[in-house]
Amino acid sequence: MSKPVISVRNLGKRYLLGMGGGEHYRALRDVISNSFKNIFRNNHPRDNPRELWALRGLSFDVAKGEKIGIIGRNGAGKSTLLKLISSITEPTEGEIRLRGKVASLLEVGTGFHPELTGKENIFMNAAILGMTNAEIKRKYDEIVAFAEVERFVDTPVKRYSSGMNVRLAFAVAAHLESEILVIDEVLAVGDTAFQKKCLGKMEDVTKEGRTVLIVSHNMPVILNLCQRAILLDKGKMVIDSNPADTVQHYLAMARSGNGEAVWSDPKNAPGNDIVRLYSAKILQEGIEGPTADIDISKDVFVEISYWNFKKDALLYHGVIIYDKVGTLVFSSSSHRSISSVYDGWYGRPQPAGLFKSVCRIPGNLFNEGLYSVTVIVGKPVAD
């Protein structure tokens, strides 16, 4: 039996609260001073109340050519795991053994310089990811064609839309000749056609014997693409099984919540430098406050609150609902919707500030069962 491509054993990552994530530069005198102090005190990590374990006690193997989904709530440790596998940060305890070259796409446009053109960024980003100049030249036309940016390849990427940025970033990473491809939520950006194109590319990648690890909140992607799925919660593994069982477990955990997610600190909220979520709530008339248990015969309201940091930004917001097996059963968006046109918000620049949007779902629309709700705030893809 061949050895696993990825082998994780008792993996843990600790951050020190108030210490810049626990990874900062120290002067030599600080190292000597701290070492001297530690002689006279017990500094075992478990005794430090200011620590935060993003991951703890994680162990699993990944075989060559496997497609593994990593799911869990925000803060579960998914992105931390991918950063450790990608060698972007080091583990506090445990080990990761990799047998093969890793290509990572953890953030849209990571490594892109806004002042450089698309072509210049392809060469720079591909070189950072480990491609030789000869490899880049050989794959250049294929990368540009896949990203669909032929007309804009000589334009600085600061003028690219988010959709163009993600297409270019994915194209570079996907065409790197690596044994392991690590992807974090890239499919959350871009239009439906490009998402399908990405899924097709990942299918091709695994047929070539390459391994794919993908973090996603999109359950259909996990169900349709992956052979296995790992559920994380508060830095620990809950289940490592087939995608259907893992997704069912995840949705059952979500149901046990109170129908509300709040990010009071913008720095830790999902989003970017333009827009970040403040809260998402499920409400129903006659029930005080958010609820995860609703009466399907009555109207349901999904309330989205978000910060807009950019004056005159063109934004849209939407709600997507999946059933227990990850099938899309409902979607609604302010982008080109009748209501948004009617109330004058469609295409209207929004001032900076905190905004609230409410989606009303009429009663008797759904059957009884378990559903997951996804909220979206973003910039309309016009390209």
Side-chain angles (χ1 to χ4, degrees):
M1 186 175 179
S2 62
K3 293 182 179 180
V5 175
I6 302 173
S7 182
V8 175
R9 290 292 178 271
N10 196 34
L11 186 65
K13 180 61 181 179
R14 179 192 62 178
Y15 294 99
L16 299 179
L17 303 179
M19 299 292 289
E23 296 185 30
H24 54 284
Y25 294 103
R26 297 179 294 173
L28 179 60
R29 68 169 183 268
D30 296 327
V31 176
I32 297 173
S33 174
N34 288 339
S35 299
F36 182 77
K37 290 176 183 177
N38 289 340
I39 296 174
F40 299 99
R41 71 182 182 196
N42 178 10
N43 195 35
H44 196 279
R46 291 184 179 87
D47 298 325
N48 188 348
R50 300 172 63 205
E51 70 187 16
L52 171 67
W53 285 93
L55 288 173
R56 199 76 189 271
L58 214 59
S59 297
F60 63 91
D61 291 328
V62 180
K64 181 180 179 180
E66 271 197 294
K67 293 170 286 187
I68 308 295
I70 312 291
I71 63 175
R73 299 177 182 178
N74 289 314
K78 306 182 299 298
S79 296
T80 298
L81 174 60
L82 296 195
K83 288 177 181 178
L84 290 168
I85 291 174
S86 304
S87 301
I88 292 174
T89 185
E90 295 181 351
T92 305
E93 62 183 22
E95 66 175 7
I96 301 174
R97 292 189 177 183
L98 303 173
R99 294 176 176 88
K101 189 176 181 181
V102 179
S104 303
L105 184 51
L106 303 187
E107 294 181 19
V108 176
T110 299
F112 282 2
H113 191 295
E115 299 296 335
L116 299 181
T117 66
K119 181 177 182 178
E120 292 166 337
N121 271 292
I122 289 173
F123 276 84
M124 181 183 71
N125 196 236
I128 290 172
L129 290 173
M131 292 177 72
T132 66
N133 198 52
E135 287 176 329
I136 301 170
K137 289 180 178 179
R138 178 163 50 87
K139 290 180 174 288
Y140 174 77
D141 290 339
E142 191 177 346
I143 291 171
V144 173
F146 186 93
E148 301 172 7
V149 294
E150 294 94 332
R151 292 177 55 198
F152 310 99
V153 74
D154 293 318
T155 301
V157 297
K158 67 180 181 181
R159 298 195 177 95
Y160 283 18
S161 68
S162 59
M164 293 169 69
N165 264 292
V166 75
R167 291 205 300 267
L168 192 58
F170 183 91
V172 173
H175 287 83
L176 181 66
E177 293 179 352
S178 62
E179 288 77 20
I180 303 167
L181 181 59
V182 178
I183 302 172
D184 189 0
E185 278 298 3
V186 245
L187 299 182
V189 185
D191 55 33
T192 304
F194 182 71
Q195 291 178 14
K196 290 181 179 178
K197 194 174 182 179
C198 289
L199 293 175
K201 182 62 179 178
M202 284 188 280
E203 287 282 2
D204 294 340
V205 161
T206 52
K207 287 177 182 176
E208 297 168 1
R210 295 160 68 187
T211 303
V212 176
L213 266 70
I214 179 169
V215 161
S216 181
H217 287 97
N218 189 329
M219 294 304 106
V221 168
I222 300 297
L223 289 166
N224 296 323
L225 178 69
C226 300
Q227 299 158 309
R228 277 170 57 198
I230 294 172
L231 172 60
L232 300 180
D233 186 53
K234 297 178 181 177
K236 296 184 178 181
M237 183 187 294
V238 178
I239 183 174
D240 177 357
S241 184
N242 64 76
D245 288 348
T246 304
V247 168
Q248 288 269 26
H249 202 110
Y250 173 61
L251 295 178
M253 285 176 56
R255 186 177 184 273
S256 65
N258 61 1
E260 176 184 39
V262 178
W263 300 270
S264 55
D265 184 356
K267 295 194 294 285
N268 299 323
N272 52 33
D273 56 353
I274 297 176
V275 60
R276 289 189 182 273
L277 283 173
Y278 172 72
S279 67
K281 301 178 182 180
I282 301 173
L283 308 169
Q284 188 163 62
E285 189 175 352
I287 299 177
E288 184 176 351
T291 178
D293 295 304
I294 64 169
D295 183 344
I296 60 171
S297 67
K298 298 179 181 178
D299 290 358
V300 179
F301 301 88
V302 180
E303 179 186 286
I304 310 168
S305 297
Y306 59 93
W307 286 283
N308 172 31
F309 302 115
K310 184 178 180 181
K311 182 182 178 181
D312 295 332
L314 292 172
L315 300 174
Y316 79 99
H317 37 271
V319 174
I320 301 174
I321 298 179
Y322 301 97
D323 66 12
K324 63 181 181 180
V325 297
T327 302
L328 175 66
V329 295
F330 175 88
S331 67
S332 178
S333 169
S334 64
H335 185 39
R336 291 194 175 97
S337 69
I338 294 175
S339 61
S340 63
V341 173
Y342 177 77
D343 65 19
W345 271 107
Y346 172 66
R348 175 180 167 188
Q350 295 183 204
L354 182 62
F355 287 79
K356 180 187 292 184
S357 174
V358 179
C359 173
R360 182 180 70 86
I361 303 171
N364 296 314
L365 185 64
F366 298 134
N367 296 322
E368 290 187 358
L370 189 63
Y371 298 90
S372 64
V373 180
T374 298
V375 300
I376 299 172
V377 181
K379 179 181 177 182
V381 178
D383 50 276

